Amino acid sequence: MQAETGSMDVEVVILGTGLREAILAAALSKAGFTVAHLDYNEYYGGDDASLSLDELRKWARERSEPPHTSNYLSSQRARFTAVSSSWEAVHAQARHFSISLSPTTLPSVGPLIDSLMASGSSRYGGFKLLERVALYDKPGYVKMVPGSKEDVFKSSELGLLDKRRLMRFLMFATSEFEDKPELVGHEDTPFVDFLRQTFSLNEGASIAVAYALAFNTTTSDTTLPALQRIRRYLRSAGRYGPSPFLVGHYGGAGEVAQGFCRLSAVHGGIYILGREVTSITTSEIPAPPSSTASPRTRYTLALQDFPEQLSCDVLISTHDYLDPSLKSQATRISSDRPSQAIARCIAVIDKPIVFRSSQFSNSQGASEDETDGSTQVDTALLIFPPSCLEAGSSTAAANVLISGPQAYAAPEGHFLLHLSMPLVEPTSRTAEELLKPYLDATLSMADAGRETSASESQPIRPSHTLFYVQHLPTPPSPSDASQSLGSLFVPPSDETMLSELSDSAATNAETTFWKVVEKLKEIRRIKRESAETEGDKSVEEPVVDSFWPPISDTTVVDQDW
Amino acid sequence: MSKQFQFKLVLLGESAVGKSSLVLRFVKDQFDDYRESTIGAAFLTQTVSLDDGTTVKFEIWDTAGQERYKSLAPMYYRNANCAVVVYDITQTASLEKARSWIRELQRQADPSIVIALCGNKSDLSARRQVSQEEAKKYADEEGLMWGETSAKSGEGVADIFTAIAKKLPLTAPPSARGGAARPGASGKPGGVDLNKQANAAGANEPCNC
């Protein structure tokens, strides 16, 4: 089609189509900037992608081989380690799985929901309420977690005194607690200690609040951030239903990323997937003689199997696409988090998970489908607090996001288990060694059949399992904190916490957006000053006064053109 | 009582065959000679009323240019009830491209999808390279609907969408598999519409059965 070699000139090139980059691409395109958005992979979503079973298999294979000449794959191989898998023969419905590399639950109030609604990309995807959150209790059994004040009130599991204490805590957690005497001086106290000391919560309640309400992931997680999360989640409850959380159809984050990419395309964004960036070269363009501006950088990218070169004023890239020398030139958006690692497991099972309450007569108020208080779940969260498994971690909590056909994550009759656990300290144990006890404990909840009771049923075997450790990208070494605004941006890494990842992606996208817009405005100003582009409409002063401009009447769903 | 159906319709075809023009003609009865590649189209809706009182509302998704470098997202095909694959009767190569899009649809989309092959730019028949016989034969072999249209004059445009509308309710009841792509739209069990808040706690309680 485009046989001739040429150059495609845009203002912004974005490398990587993860959720954060997708939101950024949509916002920049909507603001009127020309954007080309690229990915090494043939699918959308980068590290947040939703993959079919075959794509996941390829993904794992690519990351378990020795380093590669491509920057992207080499970086990915350094960031996804200890990959081990077991695959049964080809699955007939392999294409009907949407397996998320970034399992997430989305709070019903927060930056991502705001972006979905304000941008109009909410119309492209679907969501489902998270049905349940439960704590692992013993093989085959869970403890249901009271998710709201109503649940606490109705619970017959809690004694009157405990109920009053928990209610008092929840009232506190929904208030503007920052300057309250209960908190002042305890902001950095480990949260469980705070709950027990300040609110006299018993051990069970403290663990439930810390790990299943605040979603703490380690014993050392501190009080202030945990309280802030609880407040947001409690305020999210009731917006779309009893649960504060939504789970996206078809694998969540990867699908939401596709929606934002489509939105970018609708506003002129150019999409090129499945191409390796073979080189990134920089050239300096001197400022016009009349101008006081300093010379600006232009980036030229060559792609494999692509006739044209891409050239841009601003380059935005995830860590994986950049070699170390380019990475060191990147403008820092905000202070990066310290390096973190998270052990993950994905398992495919063909039996549903059943939450059997160990205190079935007093499980939470919601209706149960069986008299013994057991509930078959499609989309739910199972939490393993620290020290709850003998073979497990004593310092980290693990969680399992279960997602099935109702979340369009798996075909009828199949379910996905996504296990995650942060690695608190360096370990020589593999992801499989670390997570196997948790997987086995989760499988003990599977419904092996009506005729067998929980105690005598044989644990089921997953048809596919994949274990790996995901390392957050190493932050670029800051050359100079006070450096002037460059034209290469590496957006900050997102939170890894299941309930925070998607909001963090939206927040990071917005922070990066404003820095990039500032730079793009500066470049357009310089271009206007130079004679060669006189009368060129593409360098007009852009008016950008909000992340998402209001959706005007002419772009509402039914008249969108 | 009149019945109402809503279907997701996706457009496919090589760049510049007139996909967007076809939809602009169908939805707004307009034509713009100088339309460049698609900008600003999320999706459009248009309702077709059939003789028996049935109304069919199309939710029409344009490729937004993402087909250019083979970068259409799986989301595009998901839950599509029907597809209009467009070629340009003055460009033989565009029919070849249409064939590859049809193969892609057969691979990616729901097996029950209704596909219409549409030869656009029939006003330029003086420069015709694709004969009606050739296209019709191919369509018959693959079990596709077929028609020629001119987005410029309007000829054949309403016909092809009406033909699809007539065929759809019979073959693909929308209640069966979430016909609409809209979040929380009917047919998605436990789906949440982000634009609708729960009236009261528990209103959107997912089905526990």
Side-chain angles (χ1 to χ4, degrees):
Chain A
M1 201 161 52
Q2 268 101 1
E4 76 282 14
T5 307
S7 174
M8 190 190 284
D9 291 349
V10 292
E11 291 176 283
V12 191
V13 166
I14 304 176
L15 300 178
T17 55
L19 178 57
R20 183 185 52 214
E21 287 72 41
I23 297 169
L24 193 50
L28 288 168
S29 298
K30 279 200 115 178
F33 298 104
T34 54
V35 174
H37 199 175
L38 280 62
D39 203 301
Y40 173 91
N41 305 294
E42 279 167 357
Y43 48 81
Y44 283 89
D47 293 349
D48 301 318
S50 306
L51 303 177
S52 71
L53 210 44
D54 294 336
E55 286 172 324
L56 182 68
R57 190 174 197 162
K58 185 179 174 216
W59 181 93
R61 199 173 51 233
E62 283 182 344
R63 279 150 192 82
S64 49
E65 287 165 1
H68 192 267
T69 49
S70 105
N71 257 322
Y72 178 80
L73 267 192
S74 300
S75 173
Q76 287 270 302
R77 280 169 194 172
R79 293 214 297 107
F80 293 91
T81 60
V83 181
S84 63
S85 58
S86 104
W87 304 91
E88 260 179 27
V90 179
H91 198 290
Q93 290 176 290
R95 285 206 308 108
H96 298 283
F97 286 89
S98 292
I99 306 169
S100 180
L101 296 176
S102 281
T104 44
T105 56
L106 170 62
S108 300
V109 175
L112 185 63
I113 286 283
D114 289 349
S115 274
L116 279 163
M117 311 258 279
S119 68
S121 83
S122 60
R123 72 188 89 160
Y124 295 135
F127 295 86
K128 184 188 186 316
L129 271 184
L130 185 70
E131 293 159 10
R132 294 291 165 122
V133 179
L135 283 163
Y136 176 80
D137 188 35
K138 59 188 179 193
Y141 290 95
V142 299
K143 276 188 242 179
M144 298 296 185
V145 174
S148 65
K149 281 178 269 186
E150 289 75 20
D151 284 346
V152 174
F153 192 71
K154 283 187 279 189
S155 169
S156 45
E157 166 186 331
L158 294 160
L160 255 186
L161 184 61
D162 289 334
K163 206 179 261 196
R164 269 178 45 199
R165 287 172 175 163
L166 194 51
M167 285 300 255
R168 190 178 144 241
F169 168 74
L170 292 176
M171 296 295 284
F172 172 78
T174 44
S175 70
E176 300 300 321
F177 46 68
E178 273 81 352
D179 297 320
K180 290 197 173 170
E182 290 95 327
L183 176 63
V184 172
H186 298 288
E187 290 87 346
D188 298 324
T189 306
F191 190 45
V192 174
D193 296 346
F194 172 79
L195 292 171
R196 296 169 82 162
Q197 287 155 14
T198 309
F199 285 91
S200 310
L201 297 191
N202 67 28
E203 184 174 357
S206 308
I207 285 173
V209 167
Y211 299 103
L213 223 50
F215 295 113
N216 280 7
T217 53
T218 72
T219 46
S220 52
D221 285 358
T222 56
T223 296
L224 182 61
L227 280 174
Q228 286 168 336
R229 283 197 297 276
I230 293 182
R231 182 169 59 197
R232 282 208 299 124
Y233 302 158
L234 288 175
R235 287 179 181 177
S236 290
R239 181 173 189 181
Y240 298 118
S243 170
F245 298 106
L246 300 173
V247 172
H249 289 163
Y250 300 103
E255 188 80 355
V256 174
Q258 286 177 36
F260 280 104
C261 288
R262 174 168 168 80
L263 191 68
S264 171
V266 158
H267 291 273
I270 298 163
Y271 277 82
I272 308 171
L273 266 62
R275 304 296 203 298
E276 185 188 338
V277 179
T278 50
S279 75
I280 302 175
T281 49
T282 55
S283 54
E284 287 224 325
I285 298 181
S290 55
S291 161
T292 52
S294 44
R296 63 192 173 86
T297 310
R298 216 170 147 75
Y299 295 91
T300 305
L301 292 84
L303 308 184
Q304 196 165 40
D305 300 325
F306 201 74
E308 293 174 87
Q309 292 199 316
L310 283 170
S311 123
C312 61
D313 298 314
V314 163
L315 179 62
I316 302 169
S317 176
T318 61
H319 292 74
D320 292 336
Y321 290 87
L322 303 177
D323 63 32
S325 83
L326 266 179
K327 224 186 267 189
S328 67
Q329 294 169 28
T331 298
R332 300 186 76 207
I333 309 284
S334 63
S335 54
D336 256 292
R337 306 166 203 289
S339 19
Q340 279 180 36
I342 186 159
R344 292 195 190 275
C345 166
I346 296 165
V348 179
I349 55 174
D350 57 7
K351 296 280 188 298
I353 295 291
V354 175
F355 281 178
R356 289 184 194 85
S357 173
S358 38
Q359 308 98 342
F360 64 84
S361 59
N362 353 305
S363 57
Q364 69 185 76
S367 60
E368 309 295 342
D369 68 334
E370 285 178 37
T371 45
D372 66 352
S374 73
T375 305
Q376 183 181 314
V377 293
D378 179 276
T379 309
L381 197 53
L382 176 62
I383 310 275
F384 290 89
S387 305
C388 72
L389 290 183
E390 212 170 303
S393 170
S394 59
T395 49
N399 61 58
V400 186
L401 181 66
I402 300 147
S403 54
Q406 286 183 35
Y408 297 87
E412 237 14 88
H414 297 272
F415 297 86
L416 300 177
L417 306 176
H418 293 276
L419 285 73
S420 322
M421 184 175 74
L423 298 184
V424 181
E425 59 247 347
T427 172
S428 58
R429 298 173 72 197
T430 64
E432 184 160 359
E433 288 165 347
L434 289 164
L435 290 178
K436 190 72 175 31
Y438 296 97
L439 178 61
D440 290 342
T442 308
L443 294 174
S444 74
M445 317 260 167
D447 184 10
R450 294 264 155 179
E451 63 282 0
T452 50
S453 76
S455 51
E456 58 196 45
S457 63
Q458 287 295 310
I460 61 145
R461 239 172 59 86
S463 58
H464 303 75
T465 46
L466 170 66
F467 293 92
Y468 59 93
V469 175
Q470 176 176 5
H471 304 264
L472 276 198
T474 326
S477 45
S479 42
D480 177 9
S482 63
Q483 65 181 338
S484 67
L485 200 54
S487 35
L488 171 63
F489 296 86
V490 175
S493 299
D494 302 328
E495 296 266 1
T496 52
M497 203 178 279
L498 177 105
S499 54
E500 290 291 307
L501 183 142
S502 47
D503 276 340
S504 161
T507 305
N508 287 333
E510 180 162 5
T511 314
T512 310
F513 173 82
W514 288 114
K515 295 270 188 189
V516 170
V517 165
E518 187 187 333
K519 187 70 194 177
L520 285 168
K521 281 181 163 179
E522 179 192 310
I523 291 167
R524 281 200 182 181
R525 195 163 54 239
I526 297 170
K527 284 183 179 171
R528 272 198 309 280
E529 287 169 8
S530 68
E532 48 181 316
T533 54
E534 213 170 328
D536 185 347
K537 277 191 160 178
S538 69
V539 296
E540 276 172 9
E541 172 82 36
V543 182
V544 183
D545 45 23
S546 61
F547 188 39
W548 301 114
I551 300 178
S552 66
D553 283 340
T554 54
T555 57
V556 298
V557 173
D558 282 49
Q559 320 250 310
D560 211 342
W561 194 260
Chain B
M1 233 186 70
S2 70
K3 280 180 276 184
Q4 233 200 330
F5 295 96
Q6 183 166 334
F7 296 106
K8 175 177 173 179
L9 182 151
V10 296
L11 282 166
L12 288 166
E14 199 184 355
S15 303
V17 294
K19 297 186 292 294
S20 303
S21 298
L22 198 64
V23 177
L24 189 60
R25 172 61 75 188
F26 173 55
V27 173
K28 299 204 167 166
D29 201 19
Q30 289 171 0
F31 183 78
D32 181 352
D33 255 320
Y34 301 101
R35 262 193 82 76
E36 289 193 5
S37 53
T38 313
I39 285 186
F43 49 75
L44 290 155
T45 59
Q46 176 68 300
T47 303
V48 172
S49 299
L50 301 178
D51 297 338
D52 64 357
T54 306
T55 57
V56 171
K57 186 174 180 187
F58 286 115
E59 185 175 277
I60 305 168
W61 288 46
D62 204 340
T63 56
Q66 283 177 303
E67 84 285 13
R68 202 146 38 123
Y69 304 110
K70 291 270 173 199
S71 302
L72 272 179
M75 163 182 278
Y76 189 71
Y77 300 98
R78 276 201 228 293
N79 302 315
N81 305 99
C82 44
V84 175
V85 182
V86 187
Y87 66 96
D88 174 349
I89 65 156
T90 71
Q91 304 286 338
T92 310
S94 72
L95 182 63
E96 280 312 307
K97 273 279 159 58
R99 287 174 196 257
S100 73
W101 282 116
I102 285 159
R103 282 194 296 274
E104 185 73 4
L105 275 169
Q106 287 163 343
R107 206 173 66 84
Q108 294 252 19
D110 193 280
S112 68
I113 190 167
V114 171
I115 305 175
L117 179 66
C118 175
N120 193 32
K121 308 197 184 176
S122 64
D123 52 290
L124 300 177
S125 60
R127 285 160 37 195
R128 176 188 290 278
Q129 284 186 1
V130 181
S131 73
Q132 298 196 340
E133 293 71 29
E134 183 193 352
K136 177 95 173 45
K137 181 163 167 284
Y138 167 65
D140 287 345
E141 284 167 11
E142 294 288 329
L144 317 172
M145 304 173 75
W146 173 82
E148 284 194 353
T149 56
S150 166
K152 187 167 186 174
S153 72
E155 191 190 354
V157 176
D159 301 337
I160 201 155
F161 285 96
T162 306
I164 296 169
K166 280 183 178 158
K167 189 163 180 184
L168 271 171
L170 305 169
T171 56
S175 52
R177 258 193 69 85
R182 212 79 59 77
S186 58
K188 290 206 170 169
V192 171
D193 184 346
L194 297 191
N195 295 302
K196 281 201 191 108
Q197 309 216 347
N199 298 329
N204 277 4
E205 170 84 84
C207 179
N208 279 325
C209 52

